[in-house]
Amino acid sequence: MFVTPAFAQAAGGAPGGIAAFGQFLPIVLIFAIMYFLMIRPQQKKAKEHKLMVEQLRRGDQVITQGGIIGKVSHVKEDGELEIEIAPNVKVRVVKSTIVQVLSKTEPAAQSN
């Protein structure tokens, strides 16, 4: 006589809800770890870069992604900057390509 698989199965066991949650727990933990180690720091870095770009003003010395160092001569409203890279040599660049601000200019004093 052969035992069929239906008879060979163990009777009873853990309720379905607890077993299902136990199977998905490692996946949930992996996504939580990925969020805190990868996604959240990238969002923070993007927010800091956006703030830096918004605070650019005339006279700031900046570095672009291409490695060009220059001084901001004009900030345009359409997401562009005009950078002077040599005397009387100005280049238009997109604001988001600014990687670092080397030196900030102080805001002009308000006279009352």
Side-chain angles (χ1 to χ4, degrees), residues 15-30:
I18 295 174
F21 180 73
Q23 290 177 349
F24 290 113
L25 185 63
I27 295 172
V28 171
L29 288 175
I30 289 171

Side-chain angles (χ1 to χ4, degrees), residues 64 68 73-74 76 78-85 89-95 97-98:
T64 66
I68 297 173
S73 62
H74 185 19
K76 298 183 179 183
D78 56 351
E80 289 183 5
L81 295 172
E82 197 171 273
I83 298 177
E84 186 173 2
I85 57 175
V89 178
K90 295 181 180 177
V91 178
R92 285 178 31 203
V93 297
V94 178
K95 279 185 177 182
T97 62
I98 301 300

Side-chain angles (χ1 to χ4, degrees), residues 5-74:
F7 292 124
Q9 290 180 350
I18 295 174
F21 180 73
Q23 290 177 349
F24 290 113
L25 185 63
I27 295 172
V28 171
L29 288 175
I30 289 171
F31 280 114
I33 290 169
M34 285 184 62
Y35 174 77
F36 284 108
L37 292 179
M38 296 174 65
I39 298 169
R40 191 166 173 237
Q42 285 294 328
Q43 288 175 340
K44 184 178 178 184
K45 190 174 182 180
K47 184 186 275 189
E48 289 172 356
H49 183 263
K50 183 179 177 185
L51 181 64
M52 178 195 68
V53 168
E54 287 174 354
Q55 292 177 345
L56 285 173
R57 68 178 81 183
R58 188 171 181 242
D60 291 348
Q61 191 171 8
V62 296
I63 299 177
T64 66
Q65 284 180 348
I68 297 173
I69 299 174
K71 188 175 278 194
V72 177
S73 62
H74 185 19

